[in-house]
């Protein structure tokens, strides 16, 4: 593995940084970032920001030319994601559209669906939400109960989803619903959130606003043409879609930044000479660096078109381990910065409370490593 960046990659990173410098408002870090990337403020802003990226060819560069991209490789796509995450993810929810909803429609969508949605996503103006989880179907997604019943050339949808981030602001929902009696009789539907019978209720939690929503579907009538692929093909479609998410969020960037802030504070208070604190900080920094290298390894495997391995799961577990250790460090040594103010440390803490849950829980990652990576026996 080559650890250096090529000239093209360095130039690309600089181009992305320049775009961030040009497109982010002057009070981005003070006003917007503490609100979280799922807040109404940031989601609204993402429409302008993503349109600005699109105008520079930096929104969907990894898409094929025919859909508005320029077919750039996985490394450039990854560098783009790294810089966005480091800046507090100003694309808001649109990382989903461009990373996996668009590519999934390219593969499974009808010509009409591709024509209707891909240009909208590539323009940066359309917000989607992901309607998968239900009150008793999270890890065990196949237990979902939201039902889509075929009636002539329509489906009638009834049920509810939970934890649907961005739902309050979304234009469209990428919905999973049951279309048969077998466990995996599940189909994918593209639903305008403004359809009569769709309603959203938010609920409070420790994490910042915008993530915690329930979406209710009451006799929602949609044309059969809103289904993606064949009836019952949902499992295959979703497996494909999620494979685009597997490298996950580059958490090491924001983690190292938060650690730096905490260290600066400890230094200012004359407490950083304490060998215990220094040792703990050193271990956290080393763990984030290990997560970074493991993540790069996974991107390298993708670029070389090697088969997927459990290294992606390992990278996520490693990053989460560092995040958890950092959260303990903050609680123990700089607890004041976690209360009563919109400091970046408090923001980091709140945003990372569910880090071991979203996108596949940590236990499930460990299970996959045990079974598929280490070949340990299963029950
Ligand atoms: C902030 C946030 C945002 C989210 N955004 C969205 C969204 O936009 N759209 C969406 O559809 N969903 C979203 N989710 C839901 C998320 O995908 C689920 O919370 C996650 O899949 C876990 O499901 P669950 O909450 O039902 O927990 P459960 O599946 O009930 O798990 C509870 C615990 O049991 C463990 N567990 C469960 N099964 C096993 C097993 N077989 N082996 C070992 N351990 C197991 C889990 O690891 C976990 O620790 C979001 C969640 C959060 C917290």
């Amino acid at each position: 593995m080559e650890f250096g960046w090529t000239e093209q990659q360095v130039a690309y990173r600089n181009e992305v940084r320049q775009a961030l410098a040009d497109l982010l408002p002057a009070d981005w870090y003070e006003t917007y970032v503490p609100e979280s990337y799922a807040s109404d403020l940031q989601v609204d802003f993402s429409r302008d920001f993503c349109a600005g990226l699109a105008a520079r060819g930096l929104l969907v560069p990894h898409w094929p030319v025919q859909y508005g991209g320029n077919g750039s490789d996985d490394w450039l796509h990854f560098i783009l994601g790294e810089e966005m995450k480091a800046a507090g993810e100003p694309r808001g929810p649109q990382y989903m559209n461009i990373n996996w909803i668009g590519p999934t429609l390219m593969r499974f969508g009808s010509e009409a669906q591709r024509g209707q949605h891909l240009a909208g996503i590539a323009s940066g103006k359309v917000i989607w939400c992901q309607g998968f989880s239900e009150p008793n179907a999270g890890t065990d997604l196949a237990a979902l109960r939201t039902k889509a019943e075929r009636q002539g050339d329509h489906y009638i949808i009834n049920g509810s989803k939970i934890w649907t981030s961005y739902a309050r602001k979304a234009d469209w929902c990428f919905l999973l619903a049951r279309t048969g009696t077998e466990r995996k009789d599940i189909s994918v539907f593209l639903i305008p959130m403004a359809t009569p019978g769709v309603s959203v209720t938010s609920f409070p939690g420790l994490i910042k606003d915008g993530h915690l929503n329930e979406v209710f579907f009451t006799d929602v009538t949609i044309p059969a043409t809103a289904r993606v692929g064949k009836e019952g093909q949902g499992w295959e479609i979703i497996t494909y879609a999620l494979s685009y998410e597997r490298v996950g969020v580059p958490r090491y960037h924001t983690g190292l930044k938060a650690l730096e802030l905490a260290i600066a504070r400890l230094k200012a208070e004359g407490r950083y000479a304490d060998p215990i604190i220094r040792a703990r900080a050193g271990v956290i920094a080393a763990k984030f660096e290990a997560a970074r290298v493991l993540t790069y390894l996974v991107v390298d495997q993708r670029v070389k078109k090697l088969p997927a391995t459990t290294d992606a799961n390992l990278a996520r577990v490693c990053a989460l381990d560092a995040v958890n250790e950092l959260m303990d460090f903050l609680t123990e040594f700089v607890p004041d910065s976690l209360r009563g103010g919109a400091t970046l440390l408090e923001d980091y803490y709140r945003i990372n409370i569910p880090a071991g849950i979203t996108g596949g829980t940590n236990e499930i990652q460990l299970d996959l490593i045990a079974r598929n990576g280490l070949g340990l026996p299963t029950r």
Side-chain angles (χ1 to χ4, degrees):
M1 186 177 171
E2 167 58 56
F3 279 83
W5 297 105
T6 65
E7 270 178 36
Q8 184 209 18
Q9 289 163 344
V10 171
Y12 188 74
R13 194 182 284 281
N14 288 336
E15 190 186 340
V16 175
R17 286 185 180 170
Q18 189 57 52
L20 284 162
D22 294 342
L23 297 172
L24 292 181
D27 61 342
W28 170 252
Y29 287 100
E30 291 73 37
T31 309
Y32 290 75
V33 171
E35 288 291 310
S36 120
Y37 58 88
S39 64
D40 292 355
L41 181 71
Q42 278 209 40
V43 174
D44 288 341
F45 172 71
S46 83
R47 293 187 206 258
D48 290 337
F49 178 77
C50 288
L53 282 184
R56 290 168 183 242
L58 290 174
L59 188 64
V60 291
H62 57 301
W63 284 17
V65 176
Q66 70 184 111
Y67 297 123
N70 52 30
S72 66
D73 75 15
D74 279 354
W75 272 117
L76 296 191
H77 177 48
F78 186 73
I79 288 169
L80 181 75
E82 238 186 9
E83 292 300 320
M84 292 296 145
K85 181 68 185 166
E89 192 48 278
R91 296 174 301 178
Q94 297 199 49
Y95 70 92
M96 294 195 298
N97 313 356
I98 61 183
N99 284 353
W100 64 262
I101 295 179
T104 301
L105 294 181
M106 285 172 211
R107 167 90 179 256
F108 295 99
S110 64
E111 209 176 317
Q113 286 166 342
R114 290 198 298 269
Q116 182 180 7
H117 294 294
L118 294 179
I121 294 176
S123 77
K125 290 281 184 190
V126 184
I127 307 285
W128 286 75
C129 64
Q130 169 190 321
F132 296 175
S133 307
E134 296 184 9
N136 291 308
T139 302
D140 185 13
L141 205 48
L144 66 83
R145 294 197 306 188
T146 293
K147 213 157 70 182
E149 267 179 291
R150 182 85 188 229
Q151 288 191 6
D153 56 1
H154 283 75
Y155 281 93
I156 314 289
I157 300 182
N158 280 290
S160 70
K161 297 286 165 178
I162 195 166
W163 313 114
T164 323
S165 307
Y166 325 108
R168 280 195 311 219
K169 289 280 171 180
D171 305 300
W172 288 86
C173 181
F174 191 95
L175 180 80
L176 282 188
R178 177 162 300 290
T179 41
T181 48
E182 294 298 315
R183 237 173 91 77
K184 290 195 175 168
D185 277 343
I186 289 169
S187 304
V188 172
F189 297 91
L190 309 176
I191 315 275
M193 290 296 281
T195 313
V198 178
S199 62
V200 179
T201 307
S202 303
F203 56 94
L206 282 176
I207 188 174
K208 298 231 164 173
D209 287 348
H211 282 290
L212 307 181
N213 305 297
E214 279 185 277
V215 184
F216 298 93
F217 299 85
T218 311
D219 292 331
V220 173
T221 306
I222 49 153
T225 51
R227 194 191 65 228
V228 181
K230 299 191 204 95
E231 196 170 276
Q233 205 184 359
W235 208 254
E236 182 189 342
I237 296 173
I238 207 63
T239 305
Y240 177 82
L242 293 180
S243 73
Y244 274 82
E245 285 270 279
R246 283 295 172 236
V247 178
V249 187
R251 292 187 189 279
Y252 41 82
H253 261 295
T254 42
L256 287 167
K257 212 164 163 179
L259 181 64
E260 256 174 47
L261 287 175
I263 290 174
R265 198 185 161 115
L266 288 162
K267 278 184 179 164
E269 292 170 1
R271 295 165 59 208
Y272 196 59
D274 181 336
I276 292 178
I277 292 182
R278 290 175 74 92
R280 291 271 298 273
V283 168
I284 295 166
K287 284 189 174 180
F288 275 124
E289 287 303 339
R292 181 203 300 272
V293 175
L294 276 169
T295 306
Y296 287 0
L297 178 70
V298 175
V299 179
D300 189 56
Q301 289 166 352
R302 280 198 180 175
V303 171
K304 291 175 178 155
K305 310 269 179 247
L306 298 171
T309 67
T310 46
D311 287 342
N313 309 99
L314 202 58
R316 287 178 62 149
V317 168
C318 188
L320 187 71
D321 188 32
V323 168
N324 285 338
E325 204 147 325
L326 174 57
M327 307 268 270
D328 288 347
F329 184 87
L330 298 178
T331 324
E332 213 171 319
F333 300 119
V334 286
D336 288 357
S337 62
L338 303 179
R339 307 192 271 261
T343 66
L344 283 177
L345 282 183
E346 185 192 346
D347 183 54
Y348 179 85
Y349 196 86
R350 281 180 181 246
I351 285 286
N352 280 294
I353 288 170
I357 302 172
T358 46
T361 68
N362 203 43
E363 289 77 12
I364 296 304
Q365 306 298 324
L366 290 171
D367 195 37
L368 290 169
I369 294 167
R371 267 190 294 149
N372 303 337
L374 302 174
L376 296 179
T378 52
R379 271 182 294 137

